[in-house]
């Protein structure tokens, strides 16, 4: 059996109730798209993210109204809330006072950030609030852009580690690092450098990854490389899509790498000229019928008899289609043959009889 590399040893952080670091599972993060000042809308989106499997949520705090909304959001959120701070350092202190589980700062665009590090370190340390140093290619410190010419892996890693060193001077080490780039290979190279040079937990992300398909592929490519090497402690897929979709993609990535238990897995053929059923439509119906199934299950949907029976036998339950009928398999045994119109309801009926796999 193929296994991933052992997780890179890191310092351990506590982000609210979620442990972050090599001794804890890789956690999933997302970010709300609502105006943070709209407390009800923000909490509604957080509830949806929580239901989808999000572990930690980030909210933007670009204004005083947003800062004033934080205590109410923190009090009612079921998952830890991280405040995302740009431009104005005073909102860092507002987030700490509001009880946020963490604060993300972008040193590249916060006015005179380095001058406020000592003050921030004292406030965060007293409150037990970890800080994420979030470096982005699009807002890299101008000094490092001038030095390196562009947002290279070396520039991104240097920026993050420089800021960490400023906190270390004040005895504050409850830090997590992200150093994001829109190009997956540049991002991977950056995180490899960080993994070599520090022991802080790393939050993985391909920034501005794009729309659903492109962003999911770019994120999965980068995450799979790094997580297979034991690098990465939290992840976010930054998609131009509703935040819940980010969480779904992250779940699938972690499940595919064996870093989270599988829930529903659909094994379905891509269809071809041999298929005697509309595989795409049937698979969509099966997926919808099994959404929210009460325990982990692998369901096979096969469109013909070439690979169908063998693949279906490997699943907990499956169907191999042909001639307007479907052979229903349950853990390797054919149990029924039903008309095509009854396939979905029969699969669900038989699945509900199964005892969960050990």
């Amino acid at each position: 059996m193929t296994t991933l590399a052992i997780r890179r040893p890191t310092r351990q952080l506590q982000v609210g109730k979620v442990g972050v670091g090599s001794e804890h599972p890789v956690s999933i993060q997302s970010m709300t798209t609502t105006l943070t000042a709209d407390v009800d809308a923000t909490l509604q989106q957080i509830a949806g993210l929580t239901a989808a499997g999000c572990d930690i949520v980030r909210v933007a705090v670009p204004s005083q109204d947003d800062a004033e909304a934080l205590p109410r959001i923190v009090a009612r959120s079921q998952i830890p809330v991280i405040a995302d701070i740009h431009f104005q350092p005073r909102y860092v202190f507002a987030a700490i006072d509001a009880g946020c589980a963490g604060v993300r700062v972008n040193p590249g665009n916060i006015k005179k950030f380095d001058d406020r590090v000592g003050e921030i370190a004292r406030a965060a340390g007293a409150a037990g609030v970890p800080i994420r140093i979030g470096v982005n290619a699009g807002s890299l410190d101008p000094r490092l852009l001038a030095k390196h010419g562009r947002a290279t892996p070396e520039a991104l890693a240097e920026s993050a580690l420089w800021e960490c060193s400023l906190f270390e001077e004040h005895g504050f080490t409850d830090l997590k690092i992200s150093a994001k780039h829109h190009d997956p290979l540049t991002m991977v190279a950056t995180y490899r450098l960080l993994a070599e040079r520090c022991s802080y937990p790393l939050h993985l992300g391909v920034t501005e990854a794009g729309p659903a398909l492109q962003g999911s592929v770019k994120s999965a490519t980068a995450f799979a490389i790094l997580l297979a090497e034991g690098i990465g402690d939290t992840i976010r897929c930054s998609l131009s899509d509703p935040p819940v979709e980010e969480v779904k993609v992250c779940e699938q990535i972690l499940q595919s790498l064996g870093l989270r238990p599988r829930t529903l897995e659909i094994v379905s053929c891509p269809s071809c000229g041999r298929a005697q059923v509309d595989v795409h439509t049937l698979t969509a119906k099966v997926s919808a019928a099994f959404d929210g199934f009460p325990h982990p299950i692998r369901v096979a949907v096969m469109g013909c008899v070439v690979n169908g029976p063998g693949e279906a036998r490997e699943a907990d339950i499956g169907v191999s289609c042909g001639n307007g009928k479907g052979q229903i398999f349950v853990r390797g045994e054919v149990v029924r043959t039903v008309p095509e119109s009854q396939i979905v309801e029969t699969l669900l009926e038989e699945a509900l009889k199964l005892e969960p796999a050990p």
Side-chain angles (χ1 to χ4, degrees):
M1 179 180 177
T2 302
T3 58
L4 307 184
I6 296 172
R7 286 272 294 281
R8 156 186 166 269
T10 73
R11 297 172 181 266
Q12 308 305 309
L13 295 179
Q14 199 64 36
V15 182
K17 63 183 180 181
V18 178
V20 173
S22 53
E23 295 178 8
H24 304 279
V26 176
S27 55
I28 293 174
Q29 298 193 26
S30 186
M31 187 171 183
T32 56
T33 58
T34 55
L35 289 174
T36 303
D38 187 340
V39 173
D40 290 340
T42 301
L43 285 168
Q44 184 175 5
Q45 195 167 79
I46 291 175
L49 289 167
T50 304
C54 188
D55 299 304
I56 300 169
V57 66
R58 187 156 45 108
V59 299
V61 188
S63 74
Q64 185 63 35
D65 287 343
D66 299 315
E68 291 173 358
L70 288 175
R72 288 173 287 164
I73 293 169
V74 169
R76 294 167 59 188
S77 174
Q78 293 182 304
I79 56 177
V81 175
I82 293 178
D84 188 69
I85 310 296
H86 297 261
F87 306 116
Q88 294 293 342
R90 70 177 183 271
Y91 297 143
V92 174
F93 305 103
I96 293 171
D97 291 342
C100 287
V103 177
R104 183 266 180 146
V105 295
N106 186 341
N109 62 19
I110 293 182
K111 296 177 182 178
K112 298 183 178 179
F113 178 78
D114 292 357
D115 297 338
R116 307 293 298 272
V117 167
E119 193 179 353
I120 291 170
R122 286 190 293 274
V129 174
I131 300 288
R132 167 149 71 99
I133 304 296
V135 176
N136 266 39
S139 54
L140 188 63
D141 189 310
R143 295 168 295 182
L144 291 169
L145 274 178
K147 175 181 177 180
H148 293 273
R150 59 189 177 87
T152 63
E154 292 77 13
L156 291 165
E158 182 178 342
S159 176
L161 294 174
W162 164 254
E163 299 301 338
C164 288
S165 73
L166 297 181
F167 278 94
E168 290 165 359
E169 289 177 1
H170 296 278
F172 186 87
T173 56
D174 283 346
L175 299 169
K176 178 173 57 176
I177 298 176
S178 65
K180 299 183 179 181
H181 197 284
H182 62 84
D183 173 62
L185 295 182
T186 301
M187 177 268 200
V188 166
T190 301
Y191 279 90
R192 283 173 172 163
L193 288 175
L194 290 169
E196 291 173 0
R197 298 176 184 177
C198 75
S199 61
Y200 291 115
L202 300 179
H203 169 72
L204 305 186
V206 178
T207 192
E208 290 100 27
L213 176 59
Q214 175 182 292
S216 298
V217 171
K218 288 170 70 173
S219 297
T221 299
F223 295 176
I225 292 171
L226 290 168
L227 291 170
E229 295 175 3
I231 298 171
D233 304 287
T234 75
I235 63 173
R236 180 198 172 192
C237 292
S238 300
L239 305 179
S240 300
D241 235 42
V244 164
E245 298 306 310
E246 297 185 350
V247 175
K248 291 178 181 177
V249 174
C250 288
E251 286 270 9
Q252 288 297 313
I253 292 170
L254 295 182
Q255 289 181 25
S256 295
L257 292 169
L259 293 172
R260 283 206 175 190
R262 289 190 180 273
T263 52
L264 170 63
E265 181 184 5
I266 303 290
V267 179
S268 58
C269 70
S271 191
C272 67
R274 296 189 302 265
Q276 297 178 337
V277 67
D278 183 344
V279 176
H280 302 152
T281 298
L282 179 59
T283 301
K285 290 180 178 179
V286 171
S287 297
F290 279 83
D291 186 36
F293 196 74
H295 53 78
I297 190 167
R298 177 179 289 145
V299 183
V301 181
M302 299 294 150
C304 75
V305 296
V306 175
N307 294 317
E311 293 287 355
R313 286 191 176 94
E314 292 297 315
D316 294 301
I317 193 164
V319 60
S320 178
C321 301
N323 297 321
K325 299 179 181 179
Q327 280 190 323
I328 307 297
F329 291 77
V330 176
R331 291 181 176 158
E333 300 295 331
V334 177
V335 295
R336 298 168 69 176
T337 300
V338 299
E340 186 178 319
S341 62
Q342 297 177 22
I343 288 174
V344 176
E345 63 183 84
T346 305
L347 284 172
L348 189 57
E349 178 185 331
E350 293 294 336
L352 290 169
K353 298 177 185 177
L354 288 174
E355 293 292 327

